[in-house]
Amino acid sequence: MLRDPPVRSRRRVQNAVGFLAVMLVAIFLACGFATAEIVGRSPRVLILHPYDEWLPASAIAGDNARERLQEATAGKIDLFSEYLDLSRFPEPAHIDRMARYMAEKYFDHRPDVVIALGESATRFIVSNREAIAPDAKIVFCGFGRDSGSKLNLPAGVVGAFSEFDIAKTLELARALQPDAENLFIIGGSAAFDRTWLDSARTDLAAASKDYATTYLEDYSINEFVERASHFPPDSIVLFLTILADSTGRNFLPKDALGIVAAKASAPIYGPYDTYIGQGVVGGNSVTFESLGNAVAGLALDALAGKPITDIEVPQTFFADARQLKRWGLSESALPAETALSFREPTLWEQHGDLVAGAIALVALQALIITGLLFERRRRFAAEGESRLRLLELVHMNQSATAGALSASIAHELNQPLGAILSNAEAAEAILKGKTPDLNIIQQILADIKDDDQRAGNIILRLRGLLKKRNAIDWQEFDLNEVVDSSINILHAEAEKRRVVVSAEKPGHRLPVRADRVHLQQVILNLATNAMDAMTDASTIDRKLTFHAALHDDAKVELSISDTGHGIPKNRLDSVFDAFYTTKSTGTGLGLSIARAIVETYGGKIWADNRAGGGAVFRFVLPLAEAA
Ligand code: ADP
């Protein structure tokens, strides 16, 4: 069939010169290491496409093979492609012409490996191997072992076999349309189409018994369309290939499918994933991508001098979500691991970033809120804790004040007790007389009762002073009353120190809301400090003055002024610091506790010096009504 091109004889002469080398090559060939001889140049791979460049099947497989080869060799490879056009020109003359053309074309660039895509390309290169690529390894893909065995492939021609088992495509259709009753199988009139129809008849022999089965063949494209438009709705349609119709019109199978599917009245399935987008619901196939990859893998191994053997490329189910929707078929009925194309992206897929951002934002917000709540709880707990500390401190302060005033209080208590004693003794003496004057006795008893009352009041004040608080006892009361009770507690001490105490009060109530005992403690602290400051003053100048009044209509102000040594200007603020003291036995806590109490009840306290000498301490508290 093939005439040897004239250049062949020249090659023999060259080889004869290097007889030994040829022998070595022959030995390597026999061992399957033919390509181990590639030295000093890039390896050459020829990819043979069976039809023209528009057939997606071989285009996809070829592209994938090229990509893999380029990648694996980092581009150091010479890749050639030929399109044999054997569907439109199946005649021997064309095959012969192509073989001669390629024999000459590749004379100086003999391929090391030939990749044949599909059955007809394989048959072509096996028949014309001597002329085109005498030393090359031939690897192929695109058909199954059955077809392979019919080709009588010589040893050393190795393939990536694939089973385009149409029964598996029917399996997918059956899963989606379990109630279908009719089965239509469409095939064209080209040789390849007829091969397909033959193998479908064999592969579907068993399964087709469950349906009213009709093979549509030897039809023109228009007749196919006409039949397709009248399929009963409960039909499964398998579209094999139409490379040519009965009129001899050539097609790319996917185009023919598109024409038929556009008018079809029932879902169509097919054995090629390149049919996706042309109107098929789905099918089962070896993808052309994986074919290209697999055959390139064989080629790479061959180039590396590794022994290669036939392999099997796995099949997968595929489906088109738009067609499922069109025919109302359920996605969940698809076999597991079906590659589903054109599925409408979920909200997550469509706006994943946005959704993730929103979730992150909400999570962050939740985190911040939790943090704030936690912080708030902590603050409350801390506030509670510090309030408890304050209560304890105030109590300590009260005890210290009571201790400091104890001598004068004891002295004060002595007066009524002493009076009671002398009155009792007087009454005793009167009663010893013969005619005791009962009126005087009655008068004495009344005095004893008064003195007892006075002593009781003193003890009551002392108990009030020492009263311990576990929680603030909020009350509304008149600040004037607290000023009075404080003066009562202090007056004995003041007397002892020769301090003249005076109080200027308004003629109306000064209502505040606070713990009465706490405010009394503030006043006692300020007053005892004032008396301390006047220790060195001459006795006639020792004056302690209380002045209570309304302040700004919403506040109550109490000032306690003295005629003592005053406060250095730069100490007016720091006198309130804890542990600041100028006294040898001082603790430096009185003023800091006073400030803490006043602030607890929403007020303010500050110190000043009086123009005429001495200090004045003022504090304001919110008026109870305003508060
Ligand atoms: P302590 O009385 O134990 O020293 P305080 O906190 O009550 O603690 O007072 C702190 C300091 O403030 C006093 O040591 C004193 O120097 C000064 N101070 C307080 N009140 C007056 C006052 N009325 N006149 C002058 N100095 C004062």
Side-chain angles (χ1 to χ4, degrees):
M1 178 167 72
L2 258 183
R3 274 180 291 133
D4 270 354
V7 283
R8 287 275 293 168
S9 56
R10 284 203 304 266
R11 187 175 177 280
R12 282 205 194 94
V13 173
Q14 287 165 355
N15 281 355
V17 174
F19 179 72
L20 192 61
V22 172
M23 282 304 287
L24 278 172
V25 170
I27 291 165
F28 274 111
L29 266 168
C31 301
F33 291 101
T35 49
E37 284 300 302
I38 304 165
V39 178
R41 65 168 173 81
S42 298
R44 297 176 193 134
V45 175
L46 169 61
I47 301 176
L48 281 187
H49 293 257
Y51 309 122
D52 60 20
E53 66 270 39
W54 306 111
L55 186 79
S58 75
I60 293 169
D63 283 354
N64 271 270
R66 284 179 75 89
E67 231 166 77
R68 173 134 189 230
L69 291 168
Q70 295 267 23
E71 219 174 82
T73 57
K76 293 192 183 91
I77 190 164
D78 278 337
L79 292 170
F80 306 94
S81 294
E82 293 296 338
Y83 296 85
L84 301 172
D85 219 350
L86 296 174
S87 168
R88 290 184 295 184
F89 302 94
E91 60 275 11
H94 171 69
I95 295 171
D96 195 26
R97 190 166 54 234
M98 284 299 285
R100 271 187 288 120
Y101 156 74
M102 285 165 65
E104 285 211 36
K105 181 175 174 183
Y106 292 100
F107 179 75
D108 286 327
H109 300 86
R110 293 294 185 211
D112 302 304
V113 172
V114 177
I115 293 177
L117 301 175
E119 202 175 322
S120 41
T122 307
R123 198 180 301 114
F124 172 86
I125 190 62
V126 167
S127 310
N128 300 291
R129 179 186 199 170
E130 272 304 302
I132 300 167
D135 301 332
K137 275 265 166 193
I138 294 171
V139 294
F140 63 83
C141 66
F143 52 95
R145 281 182 193 275
D146 277 2
S147 312
S149 66
K150 285 180 203 148
L151 290 178
N152 288 325
L153 298 169
V157 176
V158 171
F161 284 112
S162 51
E163 295 302 332
F164 286 84
D165 184 355
I166 194 67
K168 292 217 167 183
T169 293
L170 181 58
E171 194 181 309
L172 178 114
R174 193 196 288 271
L176 290 170
Q177 294 177 255
D179 302 326
E181 301 207 332
N182 301 289
L183 174 62
F184 293 92
I185 298 133
I186 296 176
S189 302
F192 184 85
D193 302 332
R194 293 191 187 283
T195 316
W196 243 124
L197 282 161
D198 286 347
S199 63
R201 276 198 173 83
T202 315
D203 294 344
L204 296 175
S208 60
K209 286 194 185 117
D210 300 338
Y211 303 95
T213 303
T214 313
Y215 281 85
L216 303 181
E217 53 190 317
D218 291 322
Y219 279 23
S220 70
I221 192 75
N222 292 339
E223 287 164 343
F224 278 126
V225 171
E226 168 61 20
R227 286 300 305 272
S229 60
H230 293 102
F231 289 143
D234 57 350
S235 302
I236 289 171
V237 184
L238 300 184
F239 185 97
L240 304 176
T241 56
I242 299 177
L243 277 161
D245 69 0
S246 61
T247 65
R249 187 173 155 194
N250 290 306
F251 292 95
L252 288 175
K254 73 177 179 74
D255 294 341
L257 164 68
I259 296 167
V260 175
K263 300 283 178 210
S265 55
I268 301 183
Y269 303 83
Y272 296 112
D273 62 337
T274 46
Y275 286 176
I276 287 281
Q278 301 299 319
V280 286
V281 172
N284 181 281
S285 173
V286 174
T287 66
F288 293 110
E289 283 90 346
S290 59
L291 275 183
N293 262 324
V295 81
L298 288 176
L300 284 166
D301 283 351
L303 289 172
K306 295 180 190 163
I308 51 171
T309 51
D310 293 338
I311 56 169
E312 202 70 54
V313 188
Q315 281 184 255
T316 47
F317 287 105
F318 58 88
D320 183 335
R322 296 170 308 183
Q323 293 297 323
L324 289 176
K325 203 167 170 188
R326 174 184 168 193
W327 299 108
L329 304 171
S330 164
E331 192 182 311
S332 61
L334 289 170
E337 291 176 21
T338 302
L340 186 61
S341 312
F342 302 112
R343 190 163 59 84
E344 273 179 18
T346 60
L347 178 70
W348 175 257
E349 287 161 344
Q350 241 178 333
H351 305 293
D353 288 357
L354 210 67
V355 175
I359 289 174
L361 203 71
V362 171
L364 191 73
Q365 213 173 24
L367 203 75
I368 292 172
I369 290 170
T370 312
L372 287 175
L373 285 175
F374 183 71
E375 190 50 42
R376 190 161 165 255
R377 268 190 65 172
R378 252 180 37 148
R379 214 185 60 227
F380 279 166
E383 276 175 10
E385 184 75 4
S386 81
R387 197 158 291 173
L388 212 66
R389 294 276 159 277
L390 177 68
L391 290 173
E392 278 168 10
L393 261 180
V394 174
H395 186 246
M396 272 170 50
N397 189 214
Q398 285 171 282
S399 309
T401 308
L405 299 180
S406 60
S408 54
I409 290 173
H411 176 74
E412 193 183 3
L413 197 57
N414 256 340
Q415 285 178 354
L417 290 178
I420 288 169
L421 183 64
S422 35
N423 270 329
E425 283 169 353
E428 216 173 31
I430 292 170
L431 285 173
K432 278 179 186 161
K434 282 201 177 131
T435 51
D437 186 340
L438 290 180
N439 283 334
I440 295 180
I441 295 287
Q442 201 170 13
Q443 183 64 49
I444 288 172
L445 285 176
D447 286 350
I448 287 175
K449 265 175 74 183
D450 283 352
D451 287 331
D452 179 77
Q453 185 73 44
R454 272 175 63 201
N457 283 343
I458 294 167
I459 290 168
L460 208 66
R461 283 204 301 272
L462 193 65
R463 278 181 58 190
L465 181 64
L466 288 170
K467 207 169 178 182
K468 188 174 181 185
R469 294 268 189 266
N470 289 324
I472 291 174
D473 180 15
W474 288 92
Q475 295 172 32
E476 189 184 311
F477 52 88
D478 184 356
L479 187 66
N480 293 317
E481 287 170 20
V482 185
V483 172
D484 287 344
S485 70
S486 305
I487 292 174
N488 275 335
I489 293 172
L490 282 169
H491 90 269
E493 183 69 17
E495 232 166 60
K496 194 174 119 194
R497 299 195 192 198
R498 314 254 175 120
V499 172
V500 180
V501 179
S502 62
E504 298 162 9
K505 293 182 285 178
H508 55 82
R509 290 180 81 240
L510 294 173
V512 289
R513 252 182 77 74
D515 188 319
R516 179 194 290 264
V517 171
H518 285 175
L519 280 197
Q520 178 179 282
Q521 190 58 37
V522 173
I523 295 170
L524 292 177
N525 284 356
L526 298 179
T528 45
N529 274 343
M531 289 193 286
D532 287 346
M534 292 186 285
T535 311
D536 295 334
S538 76
T539 47
I540 44 159
D541 287 335
R542 296 178 190 170
K543 284 183 187 139
L544 174 61
T545 311
F546 294 82
H547 181 86
L550 262 181
H551 179 95
D552 286 354
D553 286 346
K555 289 179 185 130
V556 173
E557 182 184 288
L558 179 68
S559 68
I560 298 171
S561 48
D562 60 63
T563 50
H565 51 66
I567 303 166
K569 220 175 165 192
N570 60 341
R571 290 290 178 194
L572 285 171
D573 284 335
S574 53
V575 286
F576 292 96
D577 292 347
F579 308 115
Y580 173 80
T581 180
T582 54
K583 302 171 193 167
S584 56
T585 53
T587 58
L589 288 174
L591 286 181
S592 70
I593 290 172
R595 182 171 63 181
I597 292 173
V598 169
E599 286 178 357
T600 297
Y601 300 113
K604 258 182 81 177
I605 186 168
W606 68 99
D608 243 328
N609 283 314
R610 291 174 65 235
V616 54
F617 282 77
R618 290 193 170 86
F619 67 80
V620 287
L621 286 170
L623 200 64
E625 285 90 346

